[in-house]
Amino acid sequence: MTNKDLADLIFPNITKTIEDYEKMYPKRKLDEGACVTRFAPSPTGYMHLGGFFQALIDFNIAKSSNGIFYLRNEDTDQKREVDKAVELIMETLKHYDIIPDEYEYKGEIVGEYGPYIQSERKEIYHTFIKHLIEIGRAYPCFCTKDEINEMRSTQEERKMRPGYYGRFARCNNMSVDEAIKRIKNNEPYVIRFRSNGDFENKIIFNDLVKGRLHLNENDIDDVIMKSDNLLPTYHFAHVVDDYLMHTTHVVRGEEWLPSVTKHIQMFEAFGFEPPKYIHTPLIVKKDGGSIRKISKRKDPEASMSYYDELGYPTLAVIESLMTIINSNYEIWHTENPDKTFLDFKFNPEKMSSSGALYDLDKLDNISKDIISKMSAKELFEKSYEWAKKYSESLTSIIEKDKKYYTSILNIEREKVKPRKDIAKYYDIENLIWYMYDDIYFNKDLEYEWQKITDKEEIKKILKTYISKYYNVESQESWFDKVKKLADELGYASNMKEYKNNPELFKGNVADIATVLRVALTSKSNTPDLYEIMNLFGKERVENRYNKLIEKF
Ligand code: GLU
């Protein structure tokens, strides 16, 4: 009996050949230098920041080279729930406008190189495995779970490398006749790759991020097809899929680096050229004095849903990740303020090979900057959309009076130096609630008085203000009047004079302005007071001041 007999016995229904598939999935017609990348998540029902980070790199490489970025669902581990998970991945990508050129979603296949869901590619994998069996580079393994566990314990006890290799690879030496007999006997088996490697040999591997590495050749006969669902393992599916889909650059987490020698060996067994690899570093964070991996268990920011729930603009999240993708990104962006991240050319050499340090404060700063540059209309739309999804209270505030809400957002906006106080839509309610009388008067207000705290003095200031200082045409003329008020009550209107002779005054005009601000809003820090007063109008300002005077 020959290997061919064995292959036919295992895959009696496989009639296609590798060449058939090569014809079905011909070389892509792309420009010279165009890159083909893929995002290949396992649908677990969780979208990790690290996965999105990789997708962003994939997207950037493909878009900046006029290439193709596709989505492949790696669902060969079918114990997990798949449908919802695929939806989460696709919806997240869409939310960020990282739209794959090719994908399979809700029954629709876009692209000529599908199916893009691994569980639908069984026949393809079987064809490739059949070929390996025929050429003697794969074989059935009948070792039971117990036998494998026993092998592991022996290796542990003797402090040996773990794995199915050398004399531990028992079924490697089984004759074809025996294998056929046992299969006919209905004994369960998996298919293993026959490595032929020597662990003592060093091979040179070039990773685009990690550089030139000397790695031990693989000698482990890994499982490539599982016995229960007859689906391939990751290692094998990666080789077949990235070959047939013509991936030029594989961007994946560095946890796969130790397996790369297996993959290269499999590519070689088929006579295929392996793709280029970009093994991305872990995303890490500062935690007290140390730096550690961002973890799904401990850190809410590990999940992409975190950013959506808090209402970060998508661009802020992307920009913050770009700064840790390439160390030169920030400088580039400062020099090219009108360009987008898509104009930036990703350079793997500018990526940290040890760990990408993600910083939420930095995200906040980037985000404040982006939100400050939005028009009031744009911010209205984005924050309203967010509120409808995540905040009933902000929704009801907005829906009371959309025009008024937009006017609030417009304070110190659409200017050369706009106000930068909003990092995320979630912050808005806390920054504007006092602009609404119904909320304001139903709250236990905590007045943030500063230097002037005496109630009689405050009353005097407010009464004087009410009696004299309305009807102002401009910010300048208004502030002139506040200065006059300061003079009248014995406060310095001129800061220089005040600094030279503080003992001559009760205080200065800034103290007066603070009283006017706190009495109107309860807060010591607000956007421009004149603009708030203008928005309120005389009656509401007067009403708030009078109510406070009464209360005192
Ligand atoms: N399915 C693998 C994972 O989620 C993908 C690794 C790769 O991109 O090749 O880790």
Side-chain angles (χ1 to χ4, degrees), residues 38-44 54 58 72-76 80 118 234 238 242 250-253 255-256 263 277:
R38 84 294 193 278
F39 180 42
S42 305
T44 59
Q54 284 157 19
D58 284 317
R72 184 171 71 223
N73 278 302
E74 307 216 315
D75 64 339
T76 59
R80 308 168 185 172
Q118 286 185 330
Y234 166 76
H238 153 50
D242 284 314
V250 167
V251 179
R252 63 183 181 187
E255 68 273 19
W256 294 111
H263 306 152
Y277 287 94

Side-chain angles (χ1 to χ4, degrees), residues 113 132 170 279 309 351 355 399 428 433 467 473 493 515:
Y113 290 81
L132 284 187
R170 281 204 236 158
H279 285 100
E309 282 160 19
M351 174 169 248
E399 287 178 349
I428 294 179
W433 61 267
S467 64
E473 289 77 45
S493 59
V515 166

Side-chain angles (χ1 to χ4, degrees), residues 188-232:
Y189 60 91
V190 296
I191 305 286
R192 287 184 184 273
F193 177 63
R194 184 172 272 127
S195 148
N196 288 352
D198 178 351
F199 188 74
E200 300 307 320
N201 279 349
K202 289 277 183 194
I203 64 158
I204 290 174
F205 169 70
N206 255 317
D207 184 81
L208 296 190
V209 175
K210 316 258 171 200
R212 200 174 147 91
L213 304 171
H214 293 258
L215 303 174
N216 291 91
E217 194 176 24
N218 173 57
D219 64 350
I220 293 175
D221 288 357
D222 265 291
V223 174
I224 55 175
M225 187 183 88
K226 296 176 265 187
S227 60
D228 51 354
N229 55 15
L230 307 184
L231 280 170

Side-chain angles (χ1 to χ4, degrees), residues 93-155:
L93 293 179
K94 277 196 199 160
H95 178 64
Y96 286 91
D97 220 5
I98 307 289
I99 311 285
D101 299 299
E102 299 171 9
Y103 59 86
E104 186 165 339
Y105 188 47
K106 294 191 171 162
E108 185 195 13
I109 300 186
V110 176
E112 304 288 313
Y113 290 81
Y116 297 92
I117 297 181
Q118 286 185 330
S119 57
E120 294 170 14
R121 301 172 62 79
K122 209 180 237 181
E123 195 185 331
I124 301 177
Y125 302 125
H126 287 181
T127 304
F128 280 67
I129 294 172
K130 189 172 187 184
H131 170 81
L132 284 187
I133 297 174
E134 283 171 8
I135 63 169
R137 291 303 302 273
Y139 61 88
C141 165
F142 302 89
C143 290
T144 62
K145 265 204 180 106
D146 286 346
E147 284 169 321
I148 297 287
N149 285 339
E150 201 183 301
M151 170 193 91
R152 249 185 231 134
S153 313
T154 310
Q155 288 169 334

